[in-house]
Amino acid sequence: MGITFGKRKLKIKIIEQKEQVIENEAKEKASVAVMLKETPEVKINKSVLKVKRTFKDTLKELTKFSTEQLHLSDFTVYQYFFSDSRYQFQKISGDIFLTEITLEKYLSIPKPTVIRRATGLAETKEYRSRLVLLCRFENKDYIFMWSSILYEVFDEKIIKELQNLLREMRNKL
């Protein structure tokens, strides 16, 4: 079936009668855009395209997104490394101060995990649930933790969204 231009044909079917074909001429002719055979070459300087942001800048954006759009109570990031035959932890962002024992427990979590307790988490009684993600950026290991005063806030949709944000953040650095 091809495309035709020019006269239009209208078919009108009337019950118990034969079909009639009425021919109408097109009122306007469609303008045809001329396609260029060659596209002009555009030279793009690759250094201009690279966004220069620091890890702290991306953490600020992630914190803002977590609190304003997802309505999570808190977002904390710890960096960890192995030194002197034990793990050392350094808080990078956030307000929650966790004990080294609690942080070492989180290191044994292989995938994103939601922790819930009826009486709240041991360190901060106001929080009822926490999402823990381990991630690696620029050859450094981090523990990302989102906390909430609600029990059932961390569903699969929010976990996937936060994982995608971390992936985007890793790609932009």
Side-chain angles (χ1 to χ4, degrees), residues 114-118 121 128-130 151-155:
V114 177
I115 301 167
R116 291 186 187 99
R117 292 189 186 164
L121 298 161
R128 300 293 185 247
S129 61
R130 180 173 290 155
Y151 286 111
E152 302 295 329
V153 72
F154 296 109
D155 58 356

Side-chain angles (χ1 to χ4, degrees), residues 1-54:
M1 179 174 223
I3 299 175
T4 58
F5 295 97
K7 295 183 179 180
R8 296 184 193 149
K9 295 182 180 180
L10 301 174
K11 289 187 178 181
I12 302 173
K13 186 173 184 180
I14 300 173
I15 300 175
E16 297 182 8
Q17 290 185 1
K18 296 181 180 179
E19 288 185 6
Q20 297 177 354
V21 177
I22 303 172
E23 293 186 8
N24 289 339
E25 290 187 24
K27 292 180 182 176
E28 297 178 8
K29 291 187 177 182
S31 62
V32 177
V34 178
M35 300 276 300
L36 295 176
K37 292 183 179 180
E38 295 180 15
T39 57
E41 289 185 29
V42 179
K43 293 183 181 179
I44 298 173
N45 189 358
K46 290 187 179 183
S47 63
V48 174
L49 292 177
K50 187 170 184 177
V51 178
K52 295 183 180 178
R53 296 189 316 175
T54 63

Side-chain angles (χ1 to χ4, degrees), residues 32-155:
V32 177
V34 178
M35 300 276 300
L36 295 176
K37 292 183 179 180
E38 295 180 15
T39 57
E41 289 185 29
V42 179
K43 293 183 181 179
I44 298 173
N45 189 358
K46 290 187 179 183
S47 63
V48 174
L49 292 177
K50 187 170 184 177
V51 178
K52 295 183 180 178
R53 296 189 316 175
T54 63
F55 186 71
K56 293 266 187 183
D57 293 337
T58 55
L59 283 180
K60 286 178 187 175
E61 291 176 21
L62 192 59
T63 303
K64 186 177 178 183
F65 178 79
S66 298
T67 55
E68 292 179 4
Q69 293 190 12
L70 296 179
H71 305 293
L72 300 175
S73 303
D74 195 18
F75 170 64
T76 307
V77 179
Y78 281 90
Q79 179 186 352
Y80 66 94
F81 51 93
F82 194 74
S83 174
D84 297 331
S85 68
R86 69 183 188 103
Y87 282 103
Q88 306 264 336
F89 298 94
Q90 178 184 5
K91 188 171 76 68
I92 304 296
S93 174
D95 297 328
I96 301 174
F97 288 94
L98 300 174
T99 62
E100 286 189 8
I101 295 170
T102 304
L103 290 170
E104 282 186 19
K105 259 195 291 187
Y106 291 165
L107 291 182
S108 64
I109 298 171
K111 58 183 179 178
T113 303
V114 177
I115 301 167
R116 291 186 187 99
R117 292 189 186 164
T119 58
L121 298 161
E123 296 79 21
T124 50
K125 300 291 184 191
E126 68 269 17
Y127 297 132
R128 300 293 185 247
S129 61
R130 180 173 290 155
L131 172 66
V132 179
L133 287 167
L134 301 178
C135 211
R136 185 173 183 85
F137 292 99
E138 300 174 339
N139 297 324
K140 296 178 184 174
D141 296 313
Y142 296 95
I143 302 173
F144 290 87
M145 292 174 284
W146 288 268
S147 301
S148 177
I149 58 174
L150 304 173
Y151 286 111
E152 302 295 329
V153 72
F154 296 109
D155 58 356

